[in-house]
Amino acid sequence: MESTVENITLPIDIRGILDLLPHRYPFIMVDRIIDMEEGKSIAGLKNVSMGEPFFQGHFPGEPVMPGVLILEGMAQVGSILAYLSVPETIGNKLVYFAGLDKVRFRRVVLPGDQLIFKLEMVKLKTRIAKMTGRAYVDDQLATEADLLASFG
């Protein structure tokens, strides 16, 4: 699938993601964008590895991905949708996490899992984007939330 945004084709690999997002290791929480309908929806993935630095302390002997980092990954994928929906913002504005509602954690995410983030745009205005997001592992719902983002 091709996007109408110049020079963007799917899938978007980590190099393309780093061109869009200001996040860097160890805080980049998305490895690939696998699907997108500009202004409407996006799907991205994160391969969860035991080498992630947060597993050292969450929790020793019982590694579980922190829920806030699952939400951060969801927000990063949503930021990519926002950027590609309003391409003049790329490199000119940051997309800030502005709010969360209806957050639910349905299952734990463990080393070796692959998170698939799926977001749908609910509303897109000049400065605000509202999205509904879900994160899946093996087709099982792991996390869901409504996200609000602002261009700043």
PDB file of all heavy atoms in Angstrom, residues 127-152:
ATOM      1  N   ARG A 127      -5.077  21.443  15.607  1.00  0.00           N
ATOM      2  CA  ARG A 127      -4.100  21.256  16.681  1.00  0.00           C
ATOM      3  C   ARG A 127      -4.332  20.001  17.517  1.00  0.00           C
ATOM      4  O   ARG A 127      -3.532  19.693  18.384  1.00  0.00           O
ATOM      5  CB  ARG A 127      -4.114  22.476  17.608  1.00  0.00           C
ATOM      6  CG  ARG A 127      -3.652  23.748  16.935  1.00  0.00           C
ATOM      7  CD  ARG A 127      -3.657  24.920  17.889  1.00  0.00           C
ATOM      8  NE  ARG A 127      -3.036  24.622  19.168  1.00  0.00           N
ATOM      9  CZ  ARG A 127      -1.798  24.959  19.504  1.00  0.00           C
ATOM     10  NH1 ARG A 127      -1.048  25.605  18.653  1.00  0.00           N
ATOM     11  NH2 ARG A 127      -1.326  24.665  20.685  1.00  0.00           N
ATOM     12  N   ILE A 128      -5.429  19.292  17.307  1.00  0.00           N
ATOM     13  CA  ILE A 128      -5.798  18.164  18.167  1.00  0.00           C
ATOM     14  C   ILE A 128      -6.142  16.930  17.336  1.00  0.00           C
ATOM     15  O   ILE A 128      -6.801  17.031  16.302  1.00  0.00           O
ATOM     16  CB  ILE A 128      -7.025  18.527  19.046  1.00  0.00           C
ATOM     17  CG1 ILE A 128      -6.732  19.698  19.961  1.00  0.00           C
ATOM     18  CG2 ILE A 128      -7.540  17.330  19.828  1.00  0.00           C
ATOM     19  CD1 ILE A 128      -5.821  19.374  21.116  1.00  0.00           C
ATOM     20  N   ALA A 129      -5.711  15.781  17.815  1.00  0.00           N
ATOM     21  CA  ALA A 129      -6.091  14.500  17.217  1.00  0.00           C
ATOM     22  C   ALA A 129      -6.637  13.611  18.331  1.00  0.00           C
ATOM     23  O   ALA A 129      -6.022  13.494  19.395  1.00  0.00           O
ATOM     24  CB  ALA A 129      -4.897  13.840  16.550  1.00  0.00           C
ATOM     25  N   LYS A 130      -7.786  13.017  18.087  1.00  0.00           N
ATOM     26  CA  LYS A 130      -8.371  12.060  19.031  1.00  0.00           C
ATOM     27  C   LYS A 130      -8.424  10.708  18.337  1.00  0.00           C
ATOM     28  O   LYS A 130      -8.881  10.604  17.204  1.00  0.00           O
ATOM     29  CB  LYS A 130      -9.768  12.502  19.461  1.00  0.00           C
ATOM     30  CG  LYS A 130     -10.361  11.591  20.511  1.00  0.00           C
ATOM     31  CD  LYS A 130     -11.688  12.105  21.035  1.00  0.00           C
ATOM     32  CE  LYS A 130     -12.194  11.180  22.126  1.00  0.00           C
ATOM     33  NZ  LYS A 130     -13.459  11.631  22.688  1.00  0.00           N
ATOM     34  N   MET A 131      -7.913   9.678  19.039  1.00  0.00           N
ATOM     35  CA  MET A 131      -7.824   8.337  18.464  1.00  0.00           C
ATOM     36  C   MET A 131      -8.272   7.283  19.462  1.00  0.00           C
ATOM     37  O   MET A 131      -8.200   7.499  20.670  1.00  0.00           O
ATOM     38  CB  MET A 131      -6.373   8.033  18.071  1.00  0.00           C
ATOM     39  CG  MET A 131      -5.805   8.959  17.048  1.00  0.00           C
ATOM     40  SD  MET A 131      -4.043   8.650  16.808  1.00  0.00           S
ATOM     41  CE  MET A 131      -3.458  10.317  16.741  1.00  0.00           C
ATOM     42  N   THR A 132      -8.688   6.159  18.934  1.00  0.00           N
ATOM     43  CA  THR A 132      -8.959   4.972  19.736  1.00  0.00           C
ATOM     44  C   THR A 132      -7.874   3.963  19.403  1.00  0.00           C
ATOM     45  O   THR A 132      -7.589   3.732  18.222  1.00  0.00           O
ATOM     46  CB  THR A 132     -10.341   4.389  19.403  1.00  0.00           C
ATOM     47  OG1 THR A 132     -11.331   5.356  19.736  1.00  0.00           O
ATOM     48  CG2 THR A 132     -10.603   3.120  20.188  1.00  0.00           C
ATOM     49  N   GLY A 133      -7.262   3.396  20.438  1.00  0.00           N
ATOM     50  CA  GLY A 133      -6.166   2.466  20.211  1.00  0.00           C
ATOM     51  C   GLY A 133      -6.356   1.142  20.921  1.00  0.00           C
ATOM     52  O   GLY A 133      -6.980   1.072  21.986  1.00  0.00           O
ATOM     53  N   ARG A 134      -5.793   0.120  20.306  1.00  0.00           N
ATOM     54  CA  ARG A 134      -5.779  -1.218  20.900  1.00  0.00           C
ATOM     55  C   ARG A 134      -4.418  -1.837  20.629  1.00  0.00           C
ATOM     56  O   ARG A 134      -3.838  -1.626  19.566  1.00  0.00           O
ATOM     57  CB  ARG A 134      -6.874  -2.090  20.303  1.00  0.00           C
ATOM     58  CG  ARG A 134      -8.259  -1.656  20.721  1.00  0.00           C
ATOM     59  CD  ARG A 134      -9.351  -2.522  20.099  1.00  0.00           C
ATOM     60  NE  ARG A 134     -10.654  -2.112  20.571  1.00  0.00           N
ATOM     61  CZ  ARG A 134     -11.344  -1.071  20.109  1.00  0.00           C
ATOM     62  NH1 ARG A 134     -10.826  -0.327  19.153  1.00  0.00           N
ATOM     63  NH2 ARG A 134     -12.522  -0.763  20.595  1.00  0.00           N
ATOM     64  N   ALA A 135      -3.935  -2.615  21.597  1.00  0.00           N
ATOM     65  CA  ALA A 135      -2.681  -3.351  21.441  1.00  0.00           C
ATOM     66  C   ALA A 135      -2.998  -4.830  21.598  1.00  0.00           C
ATOM     67  O   ALA A 135      -3.696  -5.226  22.544  1.00  0.00           O
ATOM     68  CB  ALA A 135      -1.665  -2.909  22.479  1.00  0.00           C
ATOM     69  N   TYR A 136      -2.487  -5.626  20.670  1.00  0.00           N
ATOM     70  CA  TYR A 136      -2.760  -7.066  20.656  1.00  0.00           C
ATOM     71  C   TYR A 136      -1.467  -7.861  20.744  1.00  0.00           C
ATOM     72  O   TYR A 136      -0.432  -7.429  20.241  1.00  0.00           O
ATOM     73  CB  TYR A 136      -3.454  -7.460  19.343  1.00  0.00           C
ATOM     74  CG  TYR A 136      -4.801  -6.832  19.140  1.00  0.00           C
ATOM     75  CD1 TYR A 136      -4.925  -5.597  18.516  1.00  0.00           C
ATOM     76  CD2 TYR A 136      -5.957  -7.474  19.567  1.00  0.00           C
ATOM     77  CE1 TYR A 136      -6.163  -5.014  18.311  1.00  0.00           C
ATOM     78  CE2 TYR A 136      -7.208  -6.894  19.371  1.00  0.00           C
ATOM     79  CZ  TYR A 136      -7.302  -5.664  18.736  1.00  0.00           C
ATOM     80  OH  TYR A 136      -8.533  -5.089  18.543  1.00  0.00           O
ATOM     81  N   VAL A 137      -1.565  -9.039  21.350  1.00  0.00           N
ATOM     82  CA  VAL A 137      -0.515 -10.050  21.321  1.00  0.00           C
ATOM     83  C   VAL A 137      -1.191 -11.336  20.880  1.00  0.00           C
ATOM     84  O   VAL A 137      -2.168 -11.781  21.507  1.00  0.00           O
ATOM     85  CB  VAL A 137       0.153 -10.238  22.705  1.00  0.00           C
ATOM     86  CG1 VAL A 137       1.139 -11.407  22.659  1.00  0.00           C
ATOM     87  CG2 VAL A 137       0.840  -8.964  23.158  1.00  0.00           C
ATOM     88  N   ASP A 138      -0.712 -11.922  19.795  1.00  0.00           N
ATOM     89  CA  ASP A 138      -1.301 -13.163  19.268  1.00  0.00           C
ATOM     90  C   ASP A 138      -2.818 -13.045  19.113  1.00  0.00           C
ATOM     91  O   ASP A 138      -3.573 -13.939  19.532  1.00  0.00           O
ATOM     92  CB  ASP A 138      -0.959 -14.355  20.169  1.00  0.00           C
ATOM     93  CG  ASP A 138       0.522 -14.642  20.214  1.00  0.00           C
ATOM     94  OD1 ASP A 138       1.210 -14.396  19.198  1.00  0.00           O
ATOM     95  OD2 ASP A 138       1.008 -15.096  21.269  1.00  0.00           O
ATOM     96  N   ASP A 139      -3.279 -11.943  18.551  1.00  0.00           N
ATOM     97  CA  ASP A 139      -4.709 -11.675  18.329  1.00  0.00           C
ATOM     98  C   ASP A 139      -5.525 -11.554  19.609  1.00  0.00           C
ATOM     99  O   ASP A 139      -6.747 -11.529  19.568  1.00  0.00           O
ATOM    100  CB  ASP A 139      -5.337 -12.736  17.406  1.00  0.00           C
ATOM    101  CG  ASP A 139      -4.781 -12.665  16.001  1.00  0.00           C
ATOM    102  OD1 ASP A 139      -4.534 -11.551  15.510  1.00  0.00           O
ATOM    103  OD2 ASP A 139      -4.595 -13.737  15.384  1.00  0.00           O
ATOM    104  N   GLN A 140      -4.862 -11.503  20.759  1.00  0.00           N
ATOM    105  CA  GLN A 140      -5.557 -11.283  22.037  1.00  0.00           C
ATOM    106  C   GLN A 140      -5.389  -9.823  22.436  1.00  0.00           C
ATOM    107  O   GLN A 140      -4.269  -9.294  22.405  1.00  0.00           O
ATOM    108  CB  GLN A 140      -4.975 -12.166  23.147  1.00  0.00           C
ATOM    109  CG  GLN A 140      -5.160 -13.640  22.935  1.00  0.00           C
ATOM    110  CD  GLN A 140      -4.457 -14.433  24.040  1.00  0.00           C
ATOM    111  OE1 GLN A 140      -3.853 -13.877  24.950  1.00  0.00           O
ATOM    112  NE2 GLN A 140      -4.536 -15.749  23.941  1.00  0.00           N
ATOM    113  N   LEU A 141      -6.472  -9.195  22.824  1.00  0.00           N
ATOM    114  CA  LEU A 141      -6.422  -7.807  23.246  1.00  0.00           C
ATOM    115  C   LEU A 141      -5.608  -7.695  24.534  1.00  0.00           C
ATOM    116  O   LEU A 141      -5.907  -8.359  25.525  1.00  0.00           O
ATOM    117  CB  LEU A 141      -7.843  -7.270  23.463  1.00  0.00           C
ATOM    118  CG  LEU A 141      -7.960  -5.804  23.857  1.00  0.00           C
ATOM    119  CD1 LEU A 141      -7.405  -4.893  22.766  1.00  0.00           C
ATOM    120  CD2 LEU A 141      -9.426  -5.458  24.139  1.00  0.00           C
ATOM    121  N   ALA A 142      -4.561  -6.868  24.496  1.00  0.00           N
ATOM    122  CA  ALA A 142      -3.715  -6.671  25.673  1.00  0.00           C
ATOM    123  C   ALA A 142      -4.045  -5.356  26.369  1.00  0.00           C
ATOM    124  O   ALA A 142      -4.104  -5.297  27.596  1.00  0.00           O
ATOM    125  CB  ALA A 142      -2.237  -6.695  25.272  1.00  0.00           C
ATOM    126  N   THR A 143      -4.246  -4.293  25.592  1.00  0.00           N
ATOM    127  CA  THR A 143      -4.486  -2.961  26.145  1.00  0.00           C
ATOM    128  C   THR A 143      -5.376  -2.185  25.194  1.00  0.00           C
ATOM    129  O   THR A 143      -5.272  -2.348  23.972  1.00  0.00           O
ATOM    130  CB  THR A 143      -3.150  -2.204  26.321  1.00  0.00           C
ATOM    131  OG1 THR A 143      -2.264  -2.997  27.121  1.00  0.00           O
ATOM    132  CG2 THR A 143      -3.346  -0.845  26.977  1.00  0.00           C
ATOM    133  N   GLU A 144      -6.235  -1.344  25.754  1.00  0.00           N
ATOM    134  CA  GLU A 144      -7.054  -0.451  24.929  1.00  0.00           C
ATOM    135  C   GLU A 144      -7.158   0.894  25.627  1.00  0.00           C
ATOM    136  O   GLU A 144      -7.088   0.982  26.847  1.00  0.00           O
ATOM    137  CB  GLU A 144      -8.436  -1.045  24.667  1.00  0.00           C
ATOM    138  CG  GLU A 144      -9.239  -1.375  25.904  1.00  0.00           C
ATOM    139  CD  GLU A 144     -10.515  -2.121  25.581  1.00  0.00           C
ATOM    140  OE1 GLU A 144     -11.107  -1.920  24.503  1.00  0.00           O
ATOM    141  OE2 GLU A 144     -10.937  -2.926  26.433  1.00  0.00           O
ATOM    142  N   ALA A 145      -7.315   1.949  24.814  1.00  0.00           N
ATOM    143  CA  ALA A 145      -7.409   3.299  25.360  1.00  0.00           C
ATOM    144  C   ALA A 145      -7.878   4.259  24.288  1.00  0.00           C
ATOM    145  O   ALA A 145      -7.708   4.025  23.096  1.00  0.00           O
ATOM    146  CB  ALA A 145      -6.050   3.752  25.889  1.00  0.00           C
ATOM    147  N   ASP A 146      -8.459   5.368  24.744  1.00  0.00           N
ATOM    148  CA  ASP A 146      -8.728   6.521  23.894  1.00  0.00           C
ATOM    149  C   ASP A 146      -7.606   7.509  24.154  1.00  0.00           C
ATOM    150  O   ASP A 146      -7.274   7.787  25.309  1.00  0.00           O
ATOM    151  CB  ASP A 146     -10.079   7.154  24.233  1.00  0.00           C
ATOM    152  CG  ASP A 146     -11.256   6.258  23.848  1.00  0.00           C
ATOM    153  OD1 ASP A 146     -11.085   5.337  23.024  1.00  0.00           O
ATOM    154  OD2 ASP A 146     -12.352   6.495  24.384  1.00  0.00           O
ATOM    155  N   LEU A 147      -6.999   8.023  23.095  1.00  0.00           N
ATOM    156  CA  LEU A 147      -5.849   8.919  23.208  1.00  0.00           C
ATOM    157  C   LEU A 147      -6.176  10.289  22.625  1.00  0.00           C
ATOM    158  O   LEU A 147      -6.896  10.383  21.637  1.00  0.00           O
ATOM    159  CB  LEU A 147      -4.649   8.349  22.436  1.00  0.00           C
ATOM    160  CG  LEU A 147      -4.063   7.047  22.909  1.00  0.00           C
ATOM    161  CD1 LEU A 147      -4.768   5.874  22.273  1.00  0.00           C
ATOM    162  CD2 LEU A 147      -2.605   6.992  22.573  1.00  0.00           C
ATOM    163  N   LEU A 148      -5.606  11.291  23.248  1.00  0.00           N
ATOM    164  CA  LEU A 148      -5.722  12.653  22.759  1.00  0.00           C
ATOM    165  C   LEU A 148      -4.306  13.189  22.564  1.00  0.00           C
ATOM    166  O   LEU A 148      -3.449  13.018  23.439  1.00  0.00           O
ATOM    167  CB  LEU A 148      -6.475  13.505  23.791  1.00  0.00           C
ATOM    168  CG  LEU A 148      -6.921  14.889  23.357  1.00  0.00           C
ATOM    169  CD1 LEU A 148      -7.917  14.808  22.207  1.00  0.00           C
ATOM    170  CD2 LEU A 148      -7.555  15.600  24.547  1.00  0.00           C
ATOM    171  N   ALA A 149      -4.053  13.782  21.420  1.00  0.00           N
ATOM    172  CA  ALA A 149      -2.731  14.326  21.115  1.00  0.00           C
ATOM    173  C   ALA A 149      -2.882  15.753  20.603  1.00  0.00           C
ATOM    174  O   ALA A 149      -3.908  16.105  20.026  1.00  0.00           O
ATOM    175  CB  ALA A 149      -2.035  13.475  20.065  1.00  0.00           C
ATOM    176  N   SER A 150      -1.855  16.546  20.816  1.00  0.00           N
ATOM    177  CA  SER A 150      -1.875  17.915  20.307  1.00  0.00           C
ATOM    178  C   SER A 150      -0.592  18.206  19.549  1.00  0.00           C
ATOM    179  O   SER A 150       0.471  17.688  19.894  1.00  0.00           O
ATOM    180  CB  SER A 150      -2.065  18.927  21.445  1.00  0.00           C
ATOM    181  OG  SER A 150      -0.943  18.938  22.280  1.00  0.00           O
ATOM    182  N   PHE A 151      -0.704  19.022  18.511  1.00  0.00           N
ATOM    183  CA  PHE A 151       0.470  19.482  17.758  1.00  0.00           C
ATOM    184  C   PHE A 151       0.989  20.721  18.463  1.00  0.00           C
ATOM    185  O   PHE A 151       0.243  21.643  18.728  1.00  0.00           O
ATOM    186  CB  PHE A 151       0.085  19.846  16.316  1.00  0.00           C
ATOM    187  CG  PHE A 151      -0.321  18.664  15.475  1.00  0.00           C
ATOM    188  CD1 PHE A 151      -1.667  18.377  15.259  1.00  0.00           C
ATOM    189  CD2 PHE A 151       0.636  17.863  14.881  1.00  0.00           C
ATOM    190  CE1 PHE A 151      -2.035  17.302  14.473  1.00  0.00           C
ATOM    191  CE2 PHE A 151       0.261  16.788  14.096  1.00  0.00           C
ATOM    192  CZ  PHE A 151      -1.088  16.502  13.888  1.00  0.00           C
ATOM    193  N   GLY A 152       2.286  20.725  18.765  1.00  0.00           N
ATOM    194  CA  GLY A 152       2.833  21.880  19.462  1.00  0.00           C
ATOM    195  C   GLY A 152       4.101  22.401  18.843  1.00  0.00           C
ATOM    196  O   GLY A 152       4.697  21.845  17.998  1.00  0.00           O
TER     197      GLY A 152
END
